[in-house]
Amino acid sequence: MKSYDVSHKLNLACVQAIEEAFGREVSTNDIVLQHTRKDFDGQYTLVTFPFTRYSKLSPEETGKAIGEVLQKNCPLVQQYNTVKGFLNLEIEDQVWLDVFTTLHRDKESFSMPSTGKKVVLEYCGPNTNKPLHLGHIRNMLIGYASANLLSRVGHQVHKVNIYNDRGIAICKSMVAWKHFGEGNTPQSTQTKGDHFVGEFYVAFDQAYKKQVEERIAEGKTKEEAENNAPLLLEARFMLRQWEKGDQEVIDLWNMMNSWVYEGFEQTFSRLGVDFEKHYKESDYYQDGKRLVEEGLQQGIYTQRKDGSIWVDLTQEGLDEKLLLRGDGTSVYITQDMGIAEARYQDFGMDRSVYVVANEQDYHFKVLKLVLEKLGKPYGKSIFHLSYGMVDLPSGRMKSREGTVVDADDLLDEMVKTARHRTEELGKVDDLSPAEAETLYHTLALSALKYFILKVNPKKRVIFNPEDSIDFQGHTGPFIQYTYVRTRSVLRRYKGKGFEQSQHTLHETERDVIILLHDYCATLQRAADADDVSIVAEYAYQVARAYSKLWSEVKILNEEDENLVAFRVALSRVTGEVLADAMSILGITMPERM
RNA sequence: GGCGCUGUAGCUUAACUGGAUAGAGCACCUGACUACGGAUCAGGAGGUUCGGGGUUCGAAUCCCUGCAGCGUCACCA
């Protein structure tokens, strides 16, 4: 809660006013204060319906009674008006000017105190047998931005990644490389490592399909053919060899995975995301077993005749769930239990956030319950930040059908578009080639990141590769452009610094100040809701309000030099808030564009 | 089939968690001091918030029901 928070002060004033007017104590939580709609006079509106039962008056009369007391007692309130059950409060301009003076003068005005809470946030979680795609991009952007947001509101955040680096999938790539690779490497073929390995995953699938067809032609049933095609048998054999620790297989596996990691690192860095630690499934997949044994000892889990271990979640409305196979090998959830434990040992976090698509909602419900039943502190700390998957107009992306939107290709495409648009406008023809390239990259990423992050993470999104992503309107580049304007003003201004002002506010000035005033509360709301799109939406509103101000008042060409100093200061703070909000989203601001 | 998620202008979306006449952007039409940066601003047109009930002073939001799409219910990960 900031000392300059007008709505908080108003909230308290309303509580007192209601007590004075009707002799009833109400809680601050009962007060619904909202920003006044544009069509009415005022900046805050109190909804008075809930208080009619105390006042025994009509909603409108209730509002008048409260408004009367507020006008008399509360120095913030200049005037009031009522419309039906809504009491609109007009705040003194000087209040807003004082708020702005604080925002402008006090370097700490947008900082937030440490909460002392440790958060581990996992995102990305790719398989190591193929390159990253649009789904991973959404995951990474949401993950990275959420981590920034949580950190911005005072938590200590650790970003981690999990590599799904073992299993049948990577074995397929390995088998295919042995057969068709001819000893080639990413270096020898000038191919990005993850793409290189991905090509063999596709090659496996094609060769496998061919084998299946041949065997069907030989008179085998479809099922027979699919289950016993030599390539598949070979991949399964390789998986078993891997689990046995066969050195040749392990070496091949290490080599191919290292190619993939190198490729991933390039994409991470291009996208501007990073991790404090990468967990590898292969290092931990055995580790959950001890926890399962523990649960079995405590009688929380049950063992069947075949030796498999299960947890009964029917009381919780779910099913019975397998935790350990009859032969003692672990399943997906077993390893996630182990990794949760490892993570707690590494970081001792208060909260563990998993940024994973909503197709795994059920899995995380189970994981949380299973660990809670064990009484582990990291059980109840689990939060699945479940986001909607990215689909194409034709439905789900399918690698087999080649409809996957590749992350690197999409980035290339965006940079190309940014270059075209920038060259078309011709505003920065004097930049050096290197500066220009940096700018195209900055704009391209802004367009892409904003496009994805402005949507509520929970919603499923449909991405049409045919439609290009906009650079105008409700977009990242528009917000960057607004920032660039504020920078342009600051570059040109040679006058004195702003101290304070007492002028009558222009409507657009008031609108901008109120938005800046709301910044910290908005960040908090976004963090509480684990919804970074709230930050994106806010940045857009600020940019729009400033653009409107730009068109309606003069800044540098205003005659009153105090007013110029004020508007320059307003431009500075606006620019800083825009840059800060966008940096949470992982978007950087150019000085010119 | 059980469970879960989603459904808002042609398209992409917002609505501060139950509040005023559902707010923007794109696309379409019209206009903007020879401009402190026009990647902008202003205006127009575009809505049965999937359908039907219910709760409430008040519902896009909560409850019931139907429809559509998707996910999940593997000794896959």
Side-chain angles (χ1 to χ4, degrees):
Chain A
M1 191 70 61
K2 288 292 178 182
S3 60
Y4 54 78
D5 190 329
V6 174
S7 70
H8 178 62
K9 290 176 193 159
L10 216 46
N11 192 312
L12 297 175
C14 286
V15 170
Q16 284 177 8
I18 288 163
E19 193 175 345
E20 182 169 335
F22 312 128
R24 289 298 290 262
E25 276 191 42
V26 295
S27 138
T28 54
N29 294 329
D30 300 330
I31 305 292
V32 179
L33 263 182
Q34 52 195 223
H35 284 304
T36 303
R37 293 179 58 118
K38 276 270 158 263
D39 332 314
F40 304 99
D41 291 326
Q43 288 86 54
Y44 286 100
T45 296
L46 176 71
V47 182
T48 62
F49 288 104
F51 309 115
T52 52
R53 60 204 175 104
Y54 303 144
S55 66
K56 313 281 192 230
L57 297 168
S58 70
E60 187 137 13
E61 292 301 320
T62 306
K64 279 183 183 157
I66 299 168
E68 208 49 51
V69 178
L70 280 174
Q71 195 171 19
K72 183 162 59 92
N73 293 351
C74 180
L76 301 174
V77 178
Q78 183 180 36
Q79 283 187 61
Y80 72 90
N81 65 83
T82 58
V83 181
K84 296 188 280 185
F86 301 92
L87 170 63
N88 302 319
L89 302 170
E90 295 177 48
I91 307 301
E92 297 272 3
D93 274 356
Q94 199 53 49
V95 172
W96 295 123
L97 281 162
D98 291 345
V99 165
F100 178 70
T101 302
T102 304
L103 297 180
H104 163 259
R105 198 171 46 202
D106 183 359
K107 284 196 161 55
E108 301 294 300
S109 51
F110 293 117
S111 70
M112 295 167 86
S114 168
T115 60
K117 286 229 156 62
K118 288 184 208 153
V119 179
V120 171
L121 186 143
E122 173 195 296
Y123 67 103
C124 196
N127 294 332
T128 58
N129 62 306
K130 49 180 186 256
L132 302 166
H133 57 69
L134 182 54
H136 294 111
I137 288 189
R138 188 176 197 204
N139 181 301
M140 289 189 275
L141 297 183
I142 291 172
Y144 185 75
S146 298
N148 285 341
L149 175 61
L150 293 174
S151 160
R152 183 67 177 73
V153 300
H155 303 308
Q156 183 186 324
V157 182
H158 302 280
K159 288 171 278 188
V160 302
N161 181 22
I162 171 86
Y163 280 127
N164 300 304
D165 62 341
R166 69 177 191 108
I168 191 72
I170 182 69
C171 287
K172 287 179 180 174
S173 291
M174 285 154 67
V175 165
W177 186 80
K178 274 180 77 173
H179 281 282
F180 320 120
E182 297 168 355
N184 281 329
T185 67
Q187 290 78 4
S188 74
T189 55
Q190 302 281 310
T191 312
K192 195 162 163 285
D194 51 333
H195 289 264
F196 182 83
V197 172
E199 280 169 20
F200 288 98
Y201 187 69
V202 173
F204 176 94
D205 203 55
Q206 287 169 350
Y208 166 67
K209 269 187 191 145
K210 210 170 141 200
Q211 284 187 347
V212 170
E213 279 165 26
E214 282 166 10
R215 294 167 67 79
I216 289 175
E218 286 165 14
K220 302 251 171 39
T221 67
K222 187 162 180 272
E223 206 183 343
E224 231 284 302
E226 281 175 353
N227 284 329
N228 294 308
L231 273 172
L232 185 63
L233 295 179
E234 198 178 336
R236 282 183 184 152
F237 178 71
M238 193 175 267
L239 181 59
R240 285 198 298 276
Q241 292 300 102
W242 182 90
E243 291 192 352
K244 274 190 201 155
D246 179 275
Q247 199 54 48
E248 198 183 323
V249 171
I250 298 285
D251 287 346
L252 175 60
W253 172 75
N254 271 324
M255 180 173 75
M256 290 188 76
N257 269 341
S258 75
W259 292 339
V260 172
Y261 296 140
E262 214 178 303
F264 283 173
E265 286 298 336
Q266 286 177 36
T267 307
F268 295 155
S269 120
R270 230 181 143 191
L271 205 57
V273 303
D274 55 32
F275 304 92
E276 187 171 330
K277 176 161 183 170
H278 297 275
Y279 289 88
K280 288 178 186 166
E281 183 186 305
S282 57
D283 290 333
Y284 296 94
Y285 79 105
Q286 304 280 20
D287 287 3
K289 289 182 189 173
R290 211 192 60 254
L291 293 169
V292 177
E293 296 293 344
E294 202 180 310
L296 190 61
Q297 305 261 307
Q298 292 176 28
I300 301 167
Y301 309 145
T302 54
Q303 190 157 31
R304 292 187 181 172
K305 281 185 201 125
D306 63 359
S308 59
I309 300 177
W310 296 72
V311 62
D312 183 0
L313 298 174
T314 48
Q315 292 294 314
E316 286 81 3
L318 306 177
D319 306 309
E320 287 186 89
K321 193 78 190 166
L322 177 81
L323 297 179
L324 210 57
R325 292 191 187 107
D327 60 8
T329 58
S330 58
V331 290
Y332 182 47
I333 196 154
T334 328
Q335 85 189 15
D336 265 3
M337 293 168 72
I339 294 173
E341 165 96 15
R343 213 175 269 186
Y344 187 68
Q345 281 166 7
D346 288 344
F347 298 106
M349 66 281 179
D350 303 289
R351 189 168 188 242
S352 198
V353 179
Y354 293 76
V355 181
V356 179
N358 62 12
E359 63 183 338
Q360 295 202 38
D361 284 357
Y362 183 79
H363 170 72
F364 280 101
K365 263 186 208 163
V366 172
L367 179 66
K368 193 176 160 84
L369 276 170
V370 162
L371 290 172
E372 277 175 355
K373 276 176 174 281
L374 267 180
K376 297 294 177 190
Y378 48 85
K380 62 175 182 299
S381 77
I382 288 180
F383 172 71
H384 176 203
L385 205 172
S386 163
Y387 66 90
M389 306 221 280
V390 183
D391 288 325
L392 302 172
S394 56
R396 200 164 175 165
M397 290 190 281
K398 299 229 172 74
S399 49
R400 285 181 282 116
E401 291 164 24
T403 56
V404 173
V405 177
D406 180 79
D408 298 307
D409 292 349
L410 182 58
L411 286 170
D412 290 343
E413 200 55 43
M414 293 303 299
V415 172
K416 218 161 92 186
T417 311
R419 176 181 292 116
H420 281 153
R421 276 214 62 84
T422 306
E423 284 172 352
E424 236 170 60
L425 290 167
K427 292 182 181 185
V428 287
D429 292 342
D430 57 323
L431 290 185
S432 74
E435 286 170 334
E437 280 308 314
T438 305
L439 176 61
Y440 303 148
H441 181 259
T442 303
L443 295 174
L445 266 103
S446 163
L448 176 62
K449 290 182 176 184
Y450 195 87
F451 175 79
I452 289 173
L453 290 174
K454 74 174 176 178
V455 183
N456 185 323
K458 282 198 214 100
K459 288 193 158 187
R460 147 178 124 117
V461 301
I462 295 174
F463 179 82
N464 189 346
E466 305 295 313
D467 300 345
S468 57
I469 293 175
D470 270 313
F471 282 66
Q472 287 174 15
H474 189 182
T475 66
F478 164 62
I479 298 168
Q480 290 176 312
Y481 177 70
T482 311
Y483 172 80
V484 164
R485 281 172 148 182
T486 69
R487 301 304 292 167
S488 167
V489 166
L490 295 183
R491 273 199 302 274
R492 288 168 185 276
Y493 184 62
K494 301 288 183 246
K496 64 188 175 72
F498 172 70
E499 295 291 337
Q500 56 180 332
S501 176
Q502 298 189 331
H503 67 285
T504 303
L505 284 171
H506 188 273
E507 192 189 344
T508 58
E509 293 174 327
R510 185 162 46 231
D511 288 344
V512 171
I513 293 173
I514 292 174
L515 276 164
L516 299 177
H517 163 271
D518 289 346
Y519 184 43
C520 287
T522 304
L523 291 180
Q524 193 61 57
R525 186 163 63 86
D528 292 345
D530 289 291
D531 181 356
V532 289
S533 72
I534 290 173
V535 179
E537 178 66 23
Y538 170 82
Y540 174 63
Q541 281 174 13
V542 173
R544 215 156 53 103
Y546 183 83
S547 292
K548 184 163 175 140
L549 176 143
W550 183 284
S551 69
E552 292 198 14
V553 304
K554 292 173 177 165
I555 298 175
L556 295 172
N557 297 340
E558 180 61 52
E559 283 172 18
D560 179 347
E561 62 173 18
N562 264 322
L563 202 47
V564 176
F566 165 75
R567 286 178 183 158
V568 170
L570 189 58
S571 300
R572 181 181 67 75
V573 179
T574 300
E576 283 170 7
V577 167
L578 285 177
D580 189 69
M582 293 292 266
S583 79
I584 291 171
L585 305 180
I587 297 172
T588 53
M589 296 297 211
E591 287 298 304
R592 298 174 53 203
M593 62 189 276

